[in-house]
Amino acid sequence: QVQLVESGGGLVQAGGSLRLSCAASGRTFSSYAMGWFRQAPGKEREFVAAITWRVGSTYYADGAKGRFTISRDNAKNTLYLQMNSLKPEDTAVYYCAAKLYVTTPQGMAASQLYDYWGQGTQVTVSS
């Protein structure tokens, strides 16, 4: 079993920055990859970014490219999402997720292929 705990959410003005963290614990952590997803009220959960745990290959949704940076600290079993130039439309609950098995690059954005999920952290961007 893998436990994921997100932190770092909050209220920020448009144009501001936040850094989300996701601490992983439980059995020996050997996920293939981890990702960030978000869900705004009344909308479906959507992919934000993902990173392979060993190599560090990164994948981004179009809306995240150039503004968000995903990274990980293998020694600390911690995933990060640095979010800059935040917009009101970035307001959502942000979830981290862990994927145990290899998948295609397209599969990195598929929430149904992730095996473990955190409880989420709220990000609110005011205009």
Side-chain angles (χ1 to χ4, degrees):
Q1 193 75 6
V2 174
Q3 291 80 42
L4 303 174
V5 179
E6 302 97 334
S7 61
L11 174 64
V12 64
Q13 287 189 334
S17 299
L18 281 176
R19 188 175 84 153
L20 306 183
S21 299
C22 175
S25 62
R27 69 175 193 180
T28 303
F29 195 65
S30 58
S31 290
Y32 167 70
M34 292 187 71
W36 288 98
F37 291 77
R38 68 186 185 186
Q39 187 166 19
K43 295 188 177 181
E44 294 187 353
R45 189 170 297 188
E46 64 177 2
F47 171 71
V48 177
I51 186 168
T52 58
W53 201 248
R54 284 207 309 166
V55 175
S57 299
T58 56
Y59 305 82
Y60 292 94
D62 287 344
K65 291 177 182 176
R67 297 190 302 127
F68 295 0
T69 302
I70 190 170
S71 62
R72 87 276 191 237
D73 185 328
N74 296 50
K76 295 181 179 179
N77 282 345
T78 301
L79 177 73
Y80 303 100
L81 183 69
Q82 177 66 44
M83 303 187 294
N84 299 327
S85 302
L86 284 162
K87 305 174 182 179
E89 50 264 44
D90 293 319
T91 295
V93 177
Y94 283 70
Y95 299 90
C96 74
K99 175 195 294 290
L100 298 180
Y101 304 108
V102 174
T103 187
T104 63
Q106 292 78 13
M108 297 293 277
S111 61
Q112 66 270 24
L113 297 182
Y114 284 75
D115 302 283
Y116 296 99
W117 291 83
Q119 82 290 347
T121 186
Q122 176 71 46
V123 171
T124 303
V125 184
S126 64
S127 57

